[in-house]
């Protein structure tokens, strides 16, 4: 038997881990409503036509070669324009790097930044790779609390308590997965102030930036004066092209504090050759093209969010905060006497009601006794899921 590495064996990804028991049920012919994976392409969302056409055209016209490691110049220029429009940032193409989606940006940034025994502040609850990848690189993810009673805004005092001399950065996910929180401008400023006080960079995941309901997203990149910010974004959510695997990040670094880190990241970028060339042509079309499709899609998402929120407020034994961004809702299990923990709860729902959620503890310690629901499917599917869930809860609570 060949022994795999311990660091690989330690990796967990709750969102996909719950799929195995669901698959077992499906093998027996049972129809499971899966509300576990945040992939709009599995439902009635598609990348806009002009992006699809640009992708096909690029392939047909022969753009099937390796590109530069840092990304095509035209793509980096398109990012500069898009980010100027969205965040008002003054960056140049030299500040932009193109990646195989945000996931690769995280690998590159964490890989270049973190040595064993370093630590990095990550939100709790958070998208699982923030914990998993940091551990994979031998460093320690320190989970700062986000406060449910306060719309899941980060607790700045808790952040402060976690910082020590081995802290390398503060990671922010806004709008947030799994809570759907949208951070207030005041909060973003406070995070920047804290980072400035301890000379730390902020790593900002903005993959859901234009997917907001009531408020608007504020980027730390748009507010910083001296604190270095690395902003990550991509095609997966706002451009509905999860499977194309394309993203980017850029440096807002007014005082040049990231020079050495940039060099280290570039080294890592060179050994992985380059991101997909034709996908970058699609991205250029998306980043510089019309965005009217988004309005229509946000209308659908808002309707689905309102529906699921209303249903959840009527179901006994759970409570929930209304999401302000992304397409997740993160209810709390109030009635806890029937289950050992949230994972047991989610598996009970799966086996009894045939609806698949993800257990909240899979998103970090503040996720305990919660579960995440993806509300991407049409209302009739959500209705069926909520009917089954409501019946389940009424039965269990007697
Ligand atoms: N960051 C967050 C907060 C996410 O929720 C996700 C996917 O769900 C990703 C990154 C992954 O993005 P990508 O498809 O660009 O790798």
């Amino acid at each position: 038997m060949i022994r795999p590495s311990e660091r690989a064996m330690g990796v967990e990804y709750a969102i996909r881990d719950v799929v195995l028991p669901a698959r077992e049920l499906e093998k027996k012919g049972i129809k499971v409503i899966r509300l576990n994976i945040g992939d709009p392409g599995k439902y009635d969302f598609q990348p806009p036509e002009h992006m699809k056409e640009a992708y096909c055209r690029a392939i047909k016209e022969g753009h099937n070669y390796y590109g530069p490691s840092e990304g095509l110049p035209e793509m980096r220029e398109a990012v500069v324009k898009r980010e100027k429009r969205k965040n008002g940032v003054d960056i140049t193409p030299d500040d932009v790097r193109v990646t195989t989606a945000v996931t690769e940006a995280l690998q590159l940034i964490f890989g270049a930044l973190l040595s064993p025994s370093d630590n990095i502040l990550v939100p709790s609850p958070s998208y699982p790779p923030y914990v998993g990848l940091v551990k994979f690189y031998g460093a320690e993810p320190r989970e700062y609390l986000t406060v449910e009673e306060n719309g899941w805004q980060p607790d700045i005092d808790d952040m402060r308590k976690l910082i020590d001399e081995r802290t390398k950065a503060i990671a922010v996910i806004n709008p947030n997965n799994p809570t759907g929180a949208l951070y207030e401008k005041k909060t973003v400023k406070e995070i920047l102030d804290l980072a400035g006080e301890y000379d730390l960079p902020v790593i900002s995941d903005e993959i859901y930036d234009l997917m907001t309901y009531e408020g608007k997203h504020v980027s730390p990149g748009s507010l910083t004066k001296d604190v270095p910010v690395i902003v990550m974004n991509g095609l997966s959510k706002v451009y509905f092209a999860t499977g194309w695997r394309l993203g980017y990040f850029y440096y807002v670094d007014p005082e040049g504090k990231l020079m050495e880190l940039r060099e280290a990241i570039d080294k890592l970028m060179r050994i992985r050759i380059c991101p997909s060339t034709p996908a970058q042509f699609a991205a250029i079309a998306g980043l510089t093209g019309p965005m009217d499709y988004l309005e229509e899609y946000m209308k659908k998402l808002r309707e689905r969010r309102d529906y699921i929120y209303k249903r959840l407020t009527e179901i006994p034994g759970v409570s929930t905060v209304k999401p302000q961004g992304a397409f997740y809702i993160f209810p709390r299990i109030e009635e806890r006497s029937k289950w050992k923990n949230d994972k047991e709860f989610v598996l009970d729902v799966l086996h009894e009601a045939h609806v698949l959620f993800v257990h909240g503890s899979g998103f970090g310690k503040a996720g305990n006794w919660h579960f995440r629901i993806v509300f991407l499917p049409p209302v009739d599917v959500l209705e069926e899921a909520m009917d089954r869930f409501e019946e389940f809860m009424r039965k269990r609570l007697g």
Side-chain angles (χ1 to χ4, degrees):
M1 198 66 97
I2 306 293
R3 272 168 59 92
S5 74
E6 274 171 33
R7 61 168 193 269
M9 293 304 282
V11 171
E12 281 178 34
Y13 191 44
I15 300 167
R16 288 184 183 247
D17 288 351
V18 285
V19 170
L20 290 177
R23 240 183 240 152
E24 290 303 313
L25 289 176
E26 286 165 346
K27 265 194 223 150
K28 292 183 197 147
I30 293 165
K31 184 179 160 267
V32 174
I33 304 179
R34 290 183 178 212
L35 301 177
N36 63 314
I37 292 193
D39 188 349
K42 296 260 168 69
Y43 305 98
D44 49 343
F45 300 94
Q46 282 288 308
E49 282 308 310
H50 59 278
M51 288 178 72
K52 287 184 182 171
E53 277 161 20
Y55 205 152
C56 295
R57 203 179 326 117
I59 289 172
K60 286 198 178 138
E61 287 179 357
H63 297 292
N64 301 304
Y65 40 79
Y66 288 140
S69 293
E70 64 276 18
L72 295 172
E74 300 85 343
M75 163 82 188
R76 295 159 79 201
E77 187 61 56
V79 171
V80 168
K81 288 200 183 109
R82 194 264 186 200
E83 295 298 321
K84 174 80 187 167
R85 211 168 53 234
K86 158 71 183 61
N87 288 328
V89 288
D90 287 311
I91 49 167
T92 70
D94 188 43
D95 299 315
V96 178
R97 299 289 181 274
V98 185
T99 59
T100 304
V102 169
T103 303
E104 194 198 33
L106 287 172
Q107 289 164 5
L108 292 163
I109 296 165
F110 290 164
L113 178 70
L114 300 172
S115 298
S117 315
D118 283 345
N119 67 74
I120 176 168
L121 268 51
V122 301
S124 186
S126 88
Y127 178 55
Y130 281 81
V131 168
L133 265 177
V134 169
K135 282 190 189 160
F136 183 79
Y137 287 114
E140 183 198 349
R142 291 201 173 164
E143 297 179 60
Y144 60 84
L145 291 175
T146 60
V147 184
E148 186 167 19
E149 294 72 22
N150 189 20
W152 291 110
Q153 302 284 311
D155 179 337
I156 307 292
D157 291 333
D158 194 50
M159 274 184 173
R160 181 185 296 278
K161 278 188 220 142
L162 298 172
I163 296 173
D164 65 15
E165 68 285 353
R166 294 305 300 258
T167 305
K168 297 297 287 285
I170 301 176
V172 174
I173 305 173
N174 177 31
N176 187 270
N177 174 9
T179 62
L182 178 66
Y183 298 169
E184 292 158 17
K185 187 172 179 182
K186 173 176 144 282
T187 311
V188 177
K189 274 192 181 150
E190 284 170 356
I191 295 171
L192 278 172
D193 287 346
L194 184 70
E197 208 178 303
Y198 291 92
D199 232 349
L200 298 171
V202 172
I203 299 172
S204 180
D205 184 331
E206 306 187 359
I207 188 89
Y208 301 100
D209 65 350
L210 297 177
M211 239 173 211
T212 57
Y213 299 103
E214 278 79 31
K216 273 204 157 71
H217 168 256
V218 178
S219 169
S222 69
L223 298 179
T224 187
K225 295 209 169 57
D226 51 350
V227 174
V229 178
I230 305 178
V231 174
M232 300 177 293
N233 210 331
L235 300 189
S236 289
K237 311 293 171 168
V238 168
Y239 301 89
F240 299 90
T242 44
W244 293 0
R245 312 305 302 130
L246 203 79
Y248 59 86
F249 64 92
Y250 60 92
Y251 307 100
V252 185
D253 184 20
E255 298 186 348
K257 291 177 181 160
L258 298 177
M259 289 312 279
E260 284 183 22
L261 179 69
R262 286 171 68 142
E263 239 178 86
I265 290 176
D266 282 347
K267 279 181 198 240
L268 293 184
M269 293 193 85
R270 287 196 286 274
I271 57 165
R272 72 25 153 164
I273 304 189
C274 67
S276 159
T277 303
Q280 290 183 73
F281 282 83
I284 295 165
L287 297 175
T288 57
M291 296 292 290
D292 39 345
Y293 69 91
L294 188 60
E295 210 174 299
E296 182 206 327
Y297 281 177
M298 285 311 292
K299 207 169 131 222
K300 281 206 277 198
L301 282 177
R302 185 175 291 107
E303 189 194 337
R304 292 169 196 189
R305 177 203 60 162
D306 291 346
Y307 178 78
I308 197 138
Y309 176 71
K310 181 170 176 298
R311 285 298 305 266
L312 285 165
T313 56
E314 292 161 0
I315 294 175
V318 294
S319 69
T320 190
V321 173
K322 196 175 195 176
Q324 301 298 315
F327 36 65
Y328 311 99
I329 191 162
F330 201 60
R332 173 155 67 181
I333 305 158
E334 297 287 359
E335 171 51 59
R336 299 179 181 180
S337 60
K338 306 281 188 289
W339 304 275
K340 262 203 325 266
N341 52 41
D342 49 292
K343 188 161 185 188
E344 198 181 84
F345 170 85
V346 161
L347 290 174
D348 195 15
V349 176
L350 172 66
H351 287 111
E352 177 81 20
H354 306 148
V355 179
L356 181 60
F357 303 142
V358 184
H359 47 293
S361 51
F363 299 91
K365 65 177 182 195
N368 276 330
W369 287 109
H370 290 76
F371 56 103
R372 190 189 76 169
I373 308 178
V374 170
F375 57 78
L376 283 165
V379 168
D380 60 326
V381 177
L382 296 178
E383 185 177 10
E384 167 83 32
M386 287 300 103
D387 286 351
R388 291 188 196 179
F389 180 53
E390 179 159 10
E391 195 189 326
F392 167 88
M393 287 304 282
R394 292 199 187 278
K395 207 152 103 189
R396 284 289 181 275
L397 302 189

